[in-house]
Amino acid sequence: MKVEALPSVGVGGGVSSSPSIIMSQTKSFSSTKPNLLSKYQSKSIHNSTAVTATVENGVEGRDEGSTANASADRSHCSRDGAADSITVSSKASSISSSKSKGSIKQRIKNAIGRKKVHENKDVREESPPVSSIQIAVDVKVEKKKQQQGRKKKKPKQDIIISPEAIQLEKEEVQQQQLAAQLQQDNFQLRSSNSSPWTGRVVGLRLPSSVDPAFDEKCKPNGRRVDPSLFLGDKDKKCGSTGWNPWEEEGSDSQRSCLDDRHKNYFSFHHSDYDYYENDDKCQVSIDVHLFNNKDGISMKIHMARDPSEGLDKTLQRLKISMEKKLSKNKKKKKKGKQQVTSINPIVWRKRERQHAVREETSYFKDLADIIPINLCNPFSEGGVTHDDASVPAESCSEYEKVDDVNSFSIEELLKKANKDDFGKYAISVPIEISQSETMHVPLMVDPCPPTITSVATFGSFDHTRLFENTPLVVEVCLLFAKKAKIAWFADGEKVCDDNHCYTPTKSDVGKVLTVVVTPMRPGHDGKGCEEAYQFKRQVDALPPMPILSPLRDEFLVHRDKLQEDKQPLRVVSYNILADQNASRDVNRDADDMIYSHCKLDDIIKWRRHPLIVHEILQYQGDIVCLQEVDRDVFDGLLQPCLKAHGYQGYYSEKGLDDASGIREGCAIFWSLDVFESVRLPDMKTHTFREMFQDFMCDERLHKTEWTTLHDVSKLLEEHDHLKHVLFNKLGHVLQTVVLTDKRSKEKIVVANTHLFYHPHAAHVKCLKMLIACRQLEIEHIENELSPIIFCGDYNSTPDSGVMQLLLNRFVDSGDEETWKHLCTYEWEEGAGGDLKHVSSIDVEYPPSFPQLISAYDKAPDFTHFIECFAATLDYILASSNFEVVRSASTLSFDDMKEHVAMPNEFMASDHISLVADLSFGDL
């Protein structure tokens, strides 16, 4: 190879003495020495002169000047020749002629010396000098040689690389390297060689009323299942964050929902909901949801932090917690201060320009802003130490590093993220999985998404019994959400799209039910926030219920409550047997059990009360009065189920105070198809002890027409124990509510009560009923003499003093059944004292109180039936301006022979429900 130095023409037409180098690079040379160009690109060489350097067989030749234009110089390299030429162009402004020339030639010589020796190592003859314009080879000669059978490769044309071309090529190489790195990182995310973990950080600013541990305490996590199993192609929404902890990376079901998710990201406006700015006692709850893209493993880390804690401390705590979960190094660390690695978690913020344009080479190309994959493994290349670890700005084309993390708290980060669309902030957490290996887990920050704080159903998803044609209700509490969409599935097939109440059908028998709950708010469709829960028991066929069919088939026909023609009012009264009373048998000896005939499995409330709800709804009543209602049964079953079927109602609990241990009471419901809605203050509960104290005061006694109350007052003055019982011991209640008919606007006073049960306390019941009717008269008069419907379990037989007072308006002082135990009944043994001087009294209603009639002209054989006792104790009464159209049939003693007693497998209570249609036309 020969080296020539060619002088170049200066500006004035003379020859410049300052040399420059023009490097002509052949393809073969480029392939064997790819780093030569980049090495010379970094040197500063003058561009005012051209020098052609030729080396002949490795021996340096002489320099020859030439007046040819440097830009047109070429060097020819023939594969069968002995000479190679290199042309280098430079931008240097000046250089010493001799010294620089030698230096340049030495560099070229050294570079060429490092080139591979040609396979043909024979010494070739010296080629003739290369022309200053070396562009092409004689094509004809070449063709002639090929025709003669000589195998030669096509000569390659030399290229002069200008400074501009070098710069363009440099930029292109950098772009190609960046694209390759992006693809490599994208691949590494899904490989086991780098971090297979991705996820999201859900940050919640919890009001003081919400327990930070709500996810563990307020949800049936034992029945929680994978929601993606129940979301089809149209419904599957793997996550607002795009992260589905139940879905394997790259599965068909996950890819099918990507397109839908793309459309919704930038419509999530977090500022559309209450952030509890005025709650000074808020807490910050952090849940880190992690998913292993390789193994399909998911896990969750929960942290509760002080809102004012510095973000750097929170991130360090997060890192420590994640290392405990993810680190492969299971060796226990020595006690003492935990060692913190030199790499800290990094907070990233999305660049503004990326909101409008998404680069095709971005990590977000496939997952569409779901997880910032470009933050996963910034140190994924082998051999990178902690000191050298850094994230070049160009590798995070869509996110930029937040440098001021020490200047604000975790709460402020949530506020910052809350003010922007989803995907604005992300965190990269370095996890040391071994002494020499660190992976970086990307976590998208999801501030205050729609959140489910509690999920409940009656009896829990484990215990409740499911029957066909018997409604089920799932209730949820929400945070940062306005509503919840609840979808129902039977063996994976959707049977109800959106309702918190579902009634299984006959086709659901034998199937397992599942609910998928999606919390939502304006601007956020709840993607990624879904939760699914599955009932443990299958749907059972409804057992035969003799009280319904065929006994009451005429009351089971569908009623159109909205038709214009006036219909009779249907009234239902039912003592449903409180679990507080029935469950006492569980801990009793066999001889002491009240319901010894009944299997324990049939007496538990999880089975009995769903059947009771089924029965109540079958009657389609306009007014429903219930007794012995457990608080949890009302809240978890009766209220939500009847509300879902168009009823409004309220509950009144018995008992003197919370310490009494009584958790049952009365409930009234009315159909909103028939009656107007009632304000809460108008749903009244009166305790008997308060009514006694109120009506027995001197001021009220002087003004009332109820002269009997004067006699009662005198009796109580003489009978201290009786006064003590009425004023302080009995916690029974009277419910009253005034209902307004939607069509006629007529008002009705509805009352419901449950009286004292003791068989030796007939006089106590009689006096309590007197006080109850006094209260009814007040409301009757206050509401324009509105008619009265009075239901309840009076614990009194048809011939008792209570029923004489109600229907005949008078009880004689000589009535033995009423006053028999006036002087002997004691609340506690020995507390009565010497009461021989106390005399009974006459009890009667004044003319101002309306006449009452019974809906059952002939009393049933019984309404209460247990092994040791059967009698009629329950009633539906109404003022005489009502007309009884019909009453539902009741069971006879013959009907009960095969069942022994109540409750049983087919009868859910120890009482029979009463149903009557009352004409409303003449009111």
Side-chain angles (χ1 to χ4, degrees), residues 166-438:
I166 293 175
Q167 183 63 27
L168 290 174
E169 184 177 355
K170 179 180 178 181
E171 293 177 356
E172 182 179 354
V173 170
Q174 288 178 341
Q175 292 177 358
Q176 293 175 353
Q177 291 176 346
L178 175 59
Q181 182 64 34
L182 294 175
Q183 294 176 358
Q184 178 66 14
D185 287 348
N186 194 24
F187 168 78
Q188 287 176 340
L189 173 65
R190 295 164 174 82
S191 68
S192 59
N193 295 328
S194 62
S195 170
W197 294 93
T198 58
R200 62 170 177 163
V201 177
V202 177
L204 302 176
R205 188 175 189 269
L206 300 177
S208 56
S209 59
V210 177
D211 188 339
F214 63 82
D215 211 42
E216 290 75 24
K217 295 181 180 180
C218 304
K219 297 179 181 179
N221 290 313
R223 303 305 305 164
R224 195 165 179 173
V225 295
D226 176 357
S228 69
L229 298 177
F230 305 92
L231 299 176
D233 293 338
K234 295 182 179 180
D235 303 304
K236 183 164 289 189
K237 301 172 180 179
C238 294
S240 62
T241 62
W243 174 77
N244 179 9
W246 309 101
E247 196 76 71
E248 289 191 14
E249 176 68 24
S251 65
D252 293 337
S253 58
Q254 187 181 50
R255 286 192 296 268
S256 66
C257 64
L258 286 177
D259 292 338
D260 292 335
R261 284 183 287 180
H262 299 177
K263 302 174 184 178
N264 291 291
Y265 278 138
F266 301 114
S267 64
F268 292 173
H269 301 294
H270 295 295
S271 59
D272 290 340
Y273 59 89
D274 185 6
Y275 195 61
Y276 303 98
E277 293 285 357
N278 298 323
D279 193 338
D280 296 332
K281 297 183 180 180
C282 279
Q283 304 179 67
V284 170
S285 173
I286 299 175
D287 287 322
V288 182
H289 299 272
L290 297 171
F291 178 66
N292 190 304
N293 298 283
K294 176 184 176 183
D295 302 326
I297 302 172
S298 63
M299 63 177 61
K300 174 184 172 182
I301 299 174
H302 175 74
M303 300 169 55
R305 313 304 297 172
D306 187 331
S308 61
E309 181 180 67
L311 180 58
D312 54 339
K313 293 184 179 180
T314 304
L315 294 179
Q316 283 296 336
R317 182 69 257 177
L318 172 62
K319 177 183 176 181
I320 293 172
S321 298
M322 291 179 61
E323 283 181 336
K324 290 180 180 179
K325 288 278 188 179
L326 304 181
S327 178
K328 296 178 181 178
N329 186 4
K330 302 297 182 181
K331 294 181 180 180
K332 294 183 178 179
K333 296 183 179 180
K334 294 181 179 180
K335 294 183 178 180
K337 188 175 181 180
Q338 288 182 303
Q339 182 179 2
V340 180
T341 60
S342 58
I343 310 177
N344 296 322
I346 302 174
V347 178
W348 303 86
R349 178 173 50 237
K350 198 167 190 178
R351 301 176 190 270
E352 294 298 330
R353 63 185 179 87
Q354 295 298 330
H355 282 286
V357 179
R358 177 178 293 125
E359 297 180 4
E360 289 301 318
T361 58
S362 167
Y363 291 119
F364 295 85
K365 179 178 179 182
D366 293 331
L367 299 183
D369 299 342
I370 294 170
I371 300 269
I373 300 178
N374 53 328
L375 308 180
C376 286
N377 298 290
F379 320 129
S380 58
E381 293 185 5
V384 179
T385 64
H386 292 172
D387 295 334
D388 297 333
S390 61
V391 183
E394 61 268 19
S395 70
C396 298
S397 59
E398 299 196 28
Y399 281 77
E400 59 185 354
K401 183 179 178 181
V402 178
D403 295 324
D404 56 343
V405 293
N406 297 329
S407 63
F408 52 88
S409 65
I410 179 62
E411 181 184 29
E412 290 172 330
L413 174 63
L414 294 181
K415 287 185 178 180
K416 290 175 181 290
N418 172 65
K419 295 178 181 178
D420 292 289
D421 294 330
F422 174 80
K424 183 67 175 180
Y425 286 85
I427 300 173
S428 178
V429 182
I431 303 297
E432 289 193 358
I433 55 178
S434 66
Q435 293 181 351
S436 61
E437 186 178 1
T438 299

Side-chain angles (χ1 to χ4, degrees), residues 813-831:
S813 61
D815 185 79
E816 184 178 358
E817 292 297 325
T818 302
W819 305 108
K820 181 177 181 180
H821 300 285
L822 173 63
C823 297
T824 59
Y825 170 74
E826 296 176 335
W827 184 265
E828 298 171 349
E829 186 176 354

Side-chain angles (χ1 to χ4, degrees), residues 581-597:
N581 299 329
S583 60
R584 294 173 183 172
D585 268 10
V586 176
N587 299 319
R588 286 175 175 169
D589 294 335
D591 295 338
D592 297 329
M593 294 178 65
I594 299 176
Y595 310 109
S596 59
H597 65 281

Side-chain angles (χ1 to χ4, degrees), residues 557-703:
V557 178
H558 175 70
R559 299 176 68 217
D560 185 2
K561 299 180 181 181
L562 300 179
Q563 67 180 18
E564 295 182 0
D565 296 338
K566 290 185 178 181
Q567 297 186 73
L569 278 179
R570 180 162 294 176
V571 182
V572 178
S573 183
Y574 200 177
N575 182 318
I576 63 174
L577 179 56
D579 181 68
Q580 177 171 317
N581 299 329
S583 60
R584 294 173 183 172
D585 268 10
V586 176
N587 299 319
R588 286 175 175 169
D589 294 335
D591 295 338
D592 297 329
M593 294 178 65
I594 299 176
Y595 310 109
S596 59
H597 65 281
C598 186
K599 298 178 182 178
L600 292 180
D601 190 55
D602 294 332
I603 204 172
I604 58 174
K605 62 181 177 181
W606 317 128
R607 183 183 187 275
R608 288 195 307 109
H609 286 98
L611 294 176
I612 287 173
V613 170
H614 169 79
E615 181 183 350
I616 292 172
L617 292 174
Q618 290 299 300
Y619 297 137
Q620 308 162 71
D622 301 315
I623 298 172
V624 179
C625 295
L626 305 176
Q627 304 85 41
E628 286 199 40
V629 180
D630 298 281
R631 162 63 77 177
D632 63 323
V633 172
F634 178 85
D635 291 337
L637 182 66
L638 292 171
Q639 169 81 336
C641 283
L642 269 66
K643 182 180 179 181
H645 285 78
Y647 288 87
Q648 184 181 17
Y650 72 106
Y651 170 79
S652 302
E653 191 168 80
K654 295 192 302 185
L656 299 175
D657 49 43
D658 293 339
S660 66
I662 298 177
R663 294 293 179 269
E664 56 100 351
C666 298
I668 298 180
F669 293 94
W670 53 93
S671 173
L672 293 178
D673 291 335
V674 178
F675 299 104
E676 295 179 356
S677 178
V678 179
R679 299 183 310 116
L680 187 61
D682 296 328
M683 304 176 191
K684 298 178 181 180
T685 300
H686 313 276
T687 65
F688 279 96
R689 64 179 182 274
E690 290 175 349
M691 289 189 292
F692 269 107
Q693 294 171 3
D694 190 19
F695 295 137
M696 291 296 103
C697 68
D698 293 339
E699 183 180 355
R700 297 291 294 271
L701 286 174
H702 291 305
K703 296 179 180 180

